Amino acid sequence: MAHCTTPRPKIQVSNFTKRYGDLTVLDNIHFDIREGELVSIVGPTGCGKTTFLNCMSKLTETTEGNIFIDGEVANPVKHNLAFVFQEPTALPWRTVRQNVAYGMEVKKFPRDELQKRLDYILNLVGLEDTADLYPNQISASMMQRIAVARAFAVNPDLLLMDEPYGQLDVKLRFYLEDELVKLWQTLKSTVLFVTHNIEEAVYVAERIIVLTPKPTKVRAEVVVDLPRPRNFLDPKFIEIRRHVTDLIRWW
Ligand SMILES: Nc1ncnc2c1ncn2[C@@H]1O[C@H](COP(=O)(O)OP(=O)(O)O)[C@@H](O)[C@H]1O
Ligand SMILES: [Mg+2]
């Protein structure tokens, strides 16, 4: 029964268009994401990556087309979407522990489940030692780790990440990319990771959606079938990185 072997994708982006007045930013975008997949979107600055995420969360109105979650039009009231923004966001009056718990409180997790999951996540990312500190006592990269932990904690239908490590220096970025992969592998979340950094996309993603400049279309989808942990110096890694770079340079 062939129809049983291809389940409906978790996320379907269909005929998706966004215009600001006469400016067409996103022009008939199509792609799917499978449940538990980590997909990266790469594209030049200004091509509409943040706009796309804002449309998903309904912060911005979509011009045409739809995003479906489990076959239904995405609805932030009904579906569980989590975000990590480019700028680290932590509530200054809450401790690290209380910041990681925040998303689960908003989603009204039962108290017992919340405590259990909070301990589990803090342990998974090794934040126990800093759990009682306040955001003004920790570094920017630590703040971003909190935002990532908070987002994974709510067990989202879809976790949207908008260049979360773009501001950080290379060494920290490598470390946090490993942490992201570990969280994703352990918690089996469905993740859409936006970046303009091709190497980062090849390092973390199962599949890369390459966008064109405006009016933005999907230029290509590239499967990254490399074993983990991945190695930046592996010739196969370099080959995929070069291929994606060429797809973007072609314009
Ligand atoms: N509120 C807005 N009104 C008009 N144009 C906008 C607005 N927000 C973004 N844009 C334009 O949409 C394009 C895509 O922006 P953005 O989504 O931030 O790109 P990216 O995240 O890929 O760098 C840019 O040309 C930007 O100027
Ligand atoms: Mg952006």
Side-chain angles (χ1 to χ4, degrees):
M1 296 208 292
H3 65 279
C4 290
T5 59
T6 49
R8 180 177 61 205
K10 178 82 182 168
I11 309 293
Q12 294 168 287
V13 177
S14 169
N15 180 35
F16 191 90
T17 297
K18 174 63 185 175
R19 285 188 283 270
Y20 289 108
D22 291 342
L23 176 71
T24 299
V25 178
L26 299 165
D27 185 15
N28 201 8
I29 302 275
H30 287 268
F31 65 89
D32 293 342
I33 308 177
R34 292 191 307 276
E35 178 147 34
E37 198 177 15
L38 197 172
V39 170
S40 194
I41 293 186
V42 299
T45 299
C47 77
K49 301 182 297 296
T50 297
T51 299
F52 178 72
L53 297 187
N54 288 343
C55 289
M56 288 208 80
S57 66
K58 308 276 175 179
L59 285 170
T60 301
E61 211 176 321
T62 303
T63 307
E64 276 169 45
N66 266 312
I67 297 159
F68 297 91
I69 301 180
D70 296 323
E72 287 181 85
V73 174
N75 175 351
V77 178
K78 166 157 200 178
H79 298 112
N80 189 353
L81 297 173
F83 274 88
V84 180
F85 301 99
Q86 187 160 8
E87 299 289 331
T89 49
L91 301 171
W93 59 88
R94 284 178 163 238
T95 63
V96 166
R97 164 181 283 275
Q98 291 164 343
N99 264 287
V100 175
Y102 180 72
M104 291 189 284
E105 290 173 21
V106 170
K107 309 275 181 193
K108 302 210 170 10
F109 273 52
R111 200 176 172 75
D112 287 357
E113 190 189 335
L114 189 154
Q115 281 307 328
K116 233 170 97 184
R117 196 161 167 92
L118 181 57
D119 289 336
Y120 176 63
I121 301 271
L122 286 171
N123 177 270
L124 198 58
V125 292
L127 281 171
E128 301 112 313
D129 292 347
T130 43
D132 296 322
L133 297 179
Y134 285 87
N136 68 357
Q137 298 172 297
I138 62 179
S139 64
S141 67
M142 187 69 90
M143 296 252 273
Q144 199 58 312
R145 293 177 62 203
I146 294 166
V148 171
R150 181 174 59 208
F152 272 98
V154 302
N155 191 22
D157 288 308
L158 180 62
L159 171 45
L160 301 162
M161 305 183 84
D162 192 3
E163 312 212 33
Y165 308 135
Q167 316 280 53
L168 305 176
D169 77 51
V170 166
K171 238 180 162 170
L172 279 170
R173 207 164 41 103
F174 289 165
Y175 178 77
L176 296 192
E177 288 163 5
D178 281 336
E179 187 168 88
L180 166 68
V181 169
K182 179 179 166 190
L183 280 164
W184 167 71
Q185 286 179 319
T186 309
L187 301 172
K188 304 189 182 353
S189 312
T190 309
V191 181
L192 183 57
F193 184 94
V194 165
T195 180
H196 68 267
N197 184 323
I198 295 165
E199 181 176 75
E200 178 171 56
V202 178
Y203 192 69
V204 301
E206 299 287 283
R207 190 156 50 93
I208 300 174
I209 293 163
V210 183
L211 301 179
T212 69
K214 287 188 294 279
T216 302
K217 296 173 178 296
V218 175
R219 169 88 175 97
E221 292 191 17
V222 178
V223 173
V224 189
D225 52 354
L226 300 174
R228 298 181 192 267
R230 290 179 179 165
N231 177 355
F232 294 100
L233 302 175
D234 174 357
K236 287 190 197 126
F237 185 102
I238 292 168
E239 192 184 307
I240 295 174
R241 195 193 67 200
R242 186 179 299 134
H243 176 55
V244 174
T245 307
D246 286 346
L247 285 168
I248 289 178
R249 260 207 215 115
W250 186 82
W251 294 88

